Amino acid sequence: MTLNLDRDLCFFDVESTGLNVIRDRILQIGIVKYFASGKEPEELCMLINPGIPISEEAMQVHGILPKDLANKPTFGQVAKKLYEFIGNADLCGYNSNRFDVPILMEEYARVGIEFSMERRRTIDVQRI
């Protein structure tokens, strides 16, 4: 697929312990990054130990169990790698403006990193 981009663009999706962007935690993130330069897209997918229980409802949706995350790194341990991968890219997802972006920002705030949206554009496919 060829995209005519003037900035890098990350399509991303998160799975979480529940639906509350303040209280719940990310336990999986998947990203496909398209480059404005035309460089081949890169992918990043990681499981993250949330450090809190996963709601039964969430497990029924994504099928990720506590045992799947027991030996995985915490968000704090992967935050820098994730931040560097996303870089200054714009963000795209499904319902991302209402859930994925806010929960990602909360996770960064918990580990003392500002994930600024000031210069980023977002595309929320659900709104389209």
Side-chain angles (χ1 to χ4, degrees), residues 37-115:
S37 67
K39 176 181 160 185
E40 283 295 309
E42 294 181 7
E43 296 181 17
L44 177 69
C45 184
M46 55 178 65
L47 289 170
I48 300 167
N49 186 328
I52 66 169
I54 306 168
S55 73
E56 289 295 325
E57 295 85 0
M59 283 189 279
Q60 289 175 5
V61 170
H62 51 60
I64 301 170
L65 305 174
K67 68 177 182 165
D68 301 325
L69 306 171
N71 296 317
K72 300 301 179 191
T74 64
F75 189 86
Q77 293 169 320
V78 300
K80 184 177 179 185
K81 177 181 180 177
L82 186 58
Y83 191 86
E84 290 172 355
F85 184 85
I86 294 170
N88 294 320
D90 293 331
L91 301 174
C92 179
Y94 185 85
N95 194 32
S96 53
N97 288 358
R98 292 181 57 198
F99 186 75
D100 301 67
V101 170
I103 199 168
L104 183 62
M105 291 174 70
E106 284 294 325
E107 288 282 19
Y108 274 112
R110 277 188 208 96
V111 297
I113 299 173
E114 181 184 357
F115 188 84

Side-chain angles (χ1 to χ4, degrees), residues 14-29:
V14 301
E15 300 300 342
S16 65
T17 58
L19 296 176
N20 187 299
V21 297
I22 305 295
R23 287 191 316 262
D24 286 305
R25 304 289 191 273
I26 293 173
L27 48 84
Q28 183 178 42
I29 187 165

